[in-house]
Amino acid sequence: MAKLKAALANQQYSAAKAAAKKKSLQASEFKKQSIKDSLSGIKKGAKRTKAKSSDLQSTAQNTTQADVRNQDPVQGEGKGKGKGKGKSIIPFDKADTILLIGEANFSFTLSLLLPPHNLTGKQILSTAYDNLDVTYQKYPDAQKNVECLKNAGVKIEFGVDAKNLEKCKSVIGKGKKWSRIVFNFPHVGAGITDQDRNILTNQHLLLGFFRSVESLLTEGPSRIPQSKKSAGKKKSSSSSNRKEDQDQDQDDIDYDEKGHLIENDDNDQEDEEESPYILDENGLLTNIPIFDKTKQNHDDNSTMTIPEKQGSILITLLNCPPYTLWNLPKLASKPPTLSPGTRLLQPRYTLLRSFEFHPDLYKGYEHRRTIGWKQGVSKGANEEILNRKGKARTWEFVRREKDETI
């Protein structure tokens, strides 16, 4: 705990020191330019000052764009090809086996059955940390959602601890593996007012989660290949030069003018299938193919199919303090040697990409805080995550290969 606190303090100090140094350099450059202009006989009228200010802003903007181009494009958000508009990323397809952690009211799980996702219930296991009674008490809409999900063949489990997933038989039973493990807006919800303790407690939650899921991920080729820019670079300890060892055809990707990855979603090339699930005026699923447990061992439609693909972990957080202080990417890629509270080695992961999380892509999704829903206090319509300084962002991690730079 002391080491993590020290690391957090060092990180904050380094960031402040770098910002101060950058500001000092900018002031020095501006002073040099002013002296040079003065010696050249340039008059400092109002128009000239305005023009010079514009030139400096343009220079700063060009520098920023150059910095963006030098970043690892795999981390950037996908863009629409040739259209100049941002393309929303949906990280799921119908072949995926999906494990959802800390689902609260289960509305996100329900959204995966509806367009544009249209996923199959048998491929999904959705879990909540609280037991059934506490969940229904904290989230009044959870019971309705759970009933709909069960009727659609989705497996539901209560009382599942993200740090001890190996204790849940539904998660590990019968050789189950998961190609997408999702933890949306993780938070311990302990009501800790001290910021440092709050950060440390949530970091322990994430470290325990990373340790617990390592053996649960599927294995196989990645959907997202190694970036063209980083492929030819030598190994380096710098995060911008991380080696991304992915087995995929390079023709499947492209980059925009800023060097950001343009993802070509295979689903865009397929005929879109209609979802068998329909929401009525009360928000309930109708026309549901009822899942018959008595036929579970004989009906292929009720058997989970494990894909041969590289499994990944998807964690969504608000990209603003205090969540940015958790330092999620570093917790995954450069964690402490031992997992907190254990003598087990902490696994290491590679950041595959990050992208903006758009709630409107998940029909019926209603974000809920860990403390539950309080009438007159809590905010609906996803206001808790939309009306914040930082936008919600999803970080996707894969297990680090043995030959990758540490």
Side-chain angles (χ1 to χ4, degrees), residues 185 316-320 355-358 385-386 388-395:
F185 304 100
T316 302
L317 286 172
L318 286 170
N319 198 26
C320 64
F355 50 90
E356 187 177 342
F357 174 82
H358 297 279
I385 56 176
L386 291 175
R388 300 291 291 271
K389 184 177 181 180
K391 295 182 179 180
R393 195 165 190 83
T394 299
W395 306 83

Side-chain angles (χ1 to χ4, degrees), residues 268-281:
D268 293 342
Q269 307 300 324
E270 300 176 356
D271 293 333
E272 183 66 26
E273 296 182 19
E274 293 186 3
S275 172
Y277 313 114
I278 302 172
L279 285 175
D280 64 17
E281 58 184 8

Side-chain angles (χ1 to χ4, degrees), residues 101-127:
I101 308 299
E103 264 297 89
N105 66 349
F106 292 91
S107 61
F108 183 82
T109 307
L110 194 61
S111 73
L112 297 180
L113 304 181
L114 303 171
H117 317 285
N118 305 329
L119 301 183
T120 306
K122 68 175 184 175
Q123 296 287 97
I124 302 173
L125 169 59
S126 188
T127 70

Side-chain angles (χ1 to χ4, degrees), residues 45 195 318-319 326 406:
Q195 179 170 278
L318 286 170
N319 198 26
W326 297 3
I406 296 178

Side-chain angles (χ1 to χ4, degrees), residues 131-372:
N131 62 37
L132 184 146
D133 292 335
V134 173
T135 297
Y136 289 171
Q137 181 180 3
K138 289 172 64 174
Y139 312 104
D141 55 343
Q143 185 172 0
K144 174 195 71 176
N145 293 336
V146 168
E147 291 174 355
C148 291
L149 290 169
K150 285 184 175 181
N151 286 336
V154 177
K155 181 71 174 177
I156 304 292
E157 288 289 344
F158 296 92
V160 177
D161 185 353
K163 297 186 295 183
N164 296 284
L165 296 173
E166 61 275 7
K167 294 182 179 180
C168 179
K169 293 182 179 180
S170 294
V171 173
I172 64 174
K174 298 180 180 179
K176 287 183 179 177
K177 296 285 184 178
W178 307 93
S179 59
R180 297 290 180 265
I181 300 181
V182 184
F183 202 169
N184 288 327
F185 304 100
H187 198 285
V188 294
I192 301 173
T193 56
D194 180 75
Q195 179 170 278
D196 288 343
R197 284 184 57 217
N198 195 309
I199 292 171
L200 190 61
T201 303
N202 282 289
Q203 286 178 326
H204 281 191
L205 168 64
L206 291 170
L207 288 170
F209 169 69
F210 280 130
R211 180 202 59 77
S212 187
V213 300
E214 182 191 19
S215 62
L216 304 178
L217 294 166
T218 56
E219 297 179 357
S222 172
R223 219 173 143 248
I224 302 175
Q226 180 181 356
S227 68
K228 295 178 182 178
K229 291 191 176 183
S230 63
K233 294 182 180 180
K234 295 181 179 180
K235 292 184 179 180
S236 170
S237 58
S238 171
S239 60
S240 63
N241 294 329
R242 288 189 311 272
K243 179 184 177 184
E244 302 290 344
D245 184 13
Q246 309 297 341
D247 297 325
Q248 183 79 0
D249 192 343
Q250 292 291 339
D251 293 336
D252 290 343
I253 59 172
D254 203 354
Y255 301 92
D256 64 11
E257 66 277 6
K258 292 184 178 181
H260 287 172
L261 175 69
I262 299 175
E263 181 180 89
N264 299 323
D265 194 341
D266 294 338
N267 291 338
D268 293 342
Q269 307 300 324
E270 300 176 356
D271 293 333
E272 183 66 26
E273 296 182 19
E274 293 186 3
S275 172
Y277 313 114
I278 302 172
L279 285 175
D280 64 17
E281 58 184 8
N282 296 318
L284 294 172
L285 282 178
T286 61
N287 192 32
I288 300 174
I290 302 299
F291 182 67
D292 188 353
K293 293 183 178 180
T294 62
K295 298 181 180 180
Q296 183 169 357
N297 296 325
H298 306 285
D299 186 358
D300 290 338
N301 293 328
S302 65
T303 303
M304 178 182 290
T305 303
I306 310 298
E308 293 184 0
K309 61 194 298 186
Q310 183 184 45
S312 65
I313 300 168
L314 299 154
I315 299 178
T316 302
L317 286 172
L318 286 170
N319 198 26
C320 64
Y323 310 102
T324 49
L325 298 177
W326 297 3
N327 207 352
L328 173 62
K330 191 171 183 179
L331 285 180
S333 62
K334 296 182 179 180
T337 304
L338 298 180
S339 184
T342 74
R343 294 185 178 181
L344 301 173
L345 291 175
Q346 183 70 33
R348 293 171 178 260
Y349 295 87
T350 295
L351 175 60
L352 190 64
R353 59 178 175 174
S354 72
F355 50 90
E356 187 177 342
F357 174 82
H358 297 279
D360 57 340
L361 290 178
Y362 301 92
K363 185 176 181 180
Y365 171 58
E366 287 275 348
H367 175 75
R368 294 290 182 267
R369 298 180 65 186
T370 308
I371 59 175

